[in-house]
Amino acid sequence: MIIKNALEQIEVLVRNLKKENNMERLLCYSAVITIINRIEDITKEERIPNYVIYKNDLLESCEKICNLEDNTGDVGQLIGKALVAIRNLKSYQCFNVDNHHI
């Protein structure tokens, strides 16, 4: 699996959370978790800087959108926060997907 492609697919799933009903949101969240777990399997031998922080930001936002956590925020804002986390995962501060073929 190519990390850049995996993160782009997670981004597609997160963007679709806004228009989905709760059942479909949970399915999208399950897909996000599956991809994240696969990324962790691939990179378990490497120390990826800031990965845990950005991953937790992404999952926390998704959990709130799916009503798995208390949701006091606007879904649009939570999706924005999740997208920022994905951007951070792609950045040079983490996977640096534009300069590496992982």
Side-chain angles (χ1 to χ4, degrees):
M1 177 175 15
I2 298 170
I3 301 296
K4 180 178 183 177
N5 295 352
L7 292 172
E8 287 172 356
Q9 294 309 309
I10 290 173
E11 187 172 343
V12 169
L13 290 165
V14 168
R15 287 184 187 283
N16 285 328
L17 289 175
K18 185 166 186 150
K19 57 186 175 186
E20 304 294 347
N21 65 38
N22 202 49
M23 173 70 109
E24 291 165 338
R25 285 178 178 176
L26 289 168
L27 291 171
C28 286
Y29 175 70
S30 296
V32 168
I33 291 293
T34 300
I35 296 169
I36 289 288
N37 287 339
R38 185 69 181 115
I39 289 171
E40 288 183 355
D41 289 344
I42 292 169
T43 61
K44 65 183 169 190
E45 301 297 321
E46 301 177 41
R47 289 193 179 266
I48 306 295
N50 300 311
Y51 171 70
V52 172
I53 295 167
Y54 300 147
K55 177 190 81 167
N56 288 341
D57 287 347
L58 168 64
L59 296 180
E60 179 183 313
S61 295
C62 289
E63 289 166 0
K64 288 180 179 180
I65 293 166
C66 294
N67 295 315
L68 297 171
E69 290 283 337
D70 287 337
N71 180 4
T72 57
D74 175 60
V75 170
Q77 289 177 333
L78 291 169
I79 289 172
K81 185 177 177 186
L83 293 173
V84 167
I86 295 166
R87 215 170 303 123
N88 288 337
L89 286 165
K90 291 179 179 180
S91 75
Y92 72 94
Q93 298 169 339
C94 194
F95 284 111
N96 197 13
V97 297
D98 291 329
N99 294 319
H100 292 93
H101 186 74
I102 304 176

